[in-house]
Amino acid sequence: MKVPFLDIAGAHAEIQDQLDEAVLRVARSGSYILGPEVEAFEADFARFTGAPHCLGTGNGLDALVLALKAMGIGPGDEVIVPANTYIATWLAVSFCGATIVPVEPLEATHNIDPEAAAAAITSRTRAIIPVHLYGQPADMDPLLQLSERHGLHLLEDAAQAHGASYKGKRIGSFGEAACWSFYPGKNLGALGDGGGFTTTSPELAARVSMLRNYGSAVKYEHELAGQNSRLDPMQAAALQVKLQVLDDWNARRQAIAARYLGALSASGLVLPAVPQWADPVWHLFVVRHPQRDAFRARLEEAGIGTVIHYPKPPHLQGAFASQGHARGAFPLAETLASEVISLPVGPAQTEAQTEYVIGQVLKLA
């Protein structure tokens, strides 16, 4: 049996007619920049997340950059980020000219450690960016308390957490703002690149709306030094179709994860830990193995697709060599990078495929 890591085409097959109609509708509309398709998706995604405002952007990285710029963060400011995350979180801070302050994750969840974040605060700290990694919410209450106590911006990186909940409330409106990626492989993925920004602040919404559109609210009048990062109407139309099935597709991911958690408890792998207050949507099902690469090779030979998220932490990437973080600076993040492996999980995955993965993991781990 072959089990792909993620079968996007198989999931799309269920809604292909609706996707085709949406794409054709936009192609025939004559409206190709922002416009009604983008506005309709923004309104529906805002309702979905519980945030009053949503703005579509060109991609998830741009959403983070625009949010930080709208908050006035720039050179001389410090922003606390997880040491264990995809590099986009760090890149957004560097693009604004601010100083990246990495902190270690919690070993159980791989998400940012609120106590480590608290210890990293200085007089120059302006913001904290928790990442809801793998689709599991970060622990928001202590981070909210930190931000309120020190007067900090709290910006959620929700690129992997479409539909996830923290203490019964959906991610997207806990901090001042949340940023989203609609990369095709996400739980809510477009047919190409796309991103979004949700916020409880009308002021931030207005600034991001201008910043994404050359700094302009009125054509040819530019109040801010903005950029061009607008969600494409065709992507918005496709996302609108997929938003209607997101809860169902997330439920399928949750069922696969529940089966894995139950059946793989005796495998010897370190399985994901889910706090009682978290309702993850399992963008990724990440386990740990001390000989990860050899284990992965055995799974690949058995026809099981896997991915490593992520094999090298940001502080060891060449892009941030100038920061001077030597190997060993963030030992837990480095250990995770050397041991994590993501098993297949997705809405098109069949029960037979899931059972095959379980059988092979128990055999090969």
Side-chain angles (χ1 to χ4, degrees), residues 5 107-110 134 256-257 260-261 263-265 267-273 282 284-293 295-296 299 306-310 335-345 357 361 365:
F5 175 71
E107 185 168 8
T109 65
H110 302 195
Y134 314 147
I256 294 167
Y260 282 162
L261 288 170
L264 298 179
S265 59
S267 66
L269 298 171
V270 179
L271 300 180
W282 300 104
L284 302 172
F285 190 92
V286 179
V287 300
R288 292 171 60 186
H289 190 293
Q291 287 83 44
R292 184 266 313 285
D293 294 339
F295 174 53
R296 186 188 189 195
L299 290 177
T306 60
V307 177
I308 308 302
H309 297 91
Y310 302 97
T335 296
L336 295 177
S338 71
E339 294 183 356
V340 294
I341 178 171
S342 301
L343 300 181
V345 61
V357 171
V361 168

Side-chain angles (χ1 to χ4, degrees), residues 242-260:
K242 296 177 80 171
L243 183 59
Q244 310 313 309
V245 296
L246 179 57
D247 282 336
D248 176 53
W249 285 8
N250 280 344
R252 297 184 200 179
R253 290 174 177 269
Q254 290 165 335
I256 294 167
R259 183 73 185 106
Y260 282 162

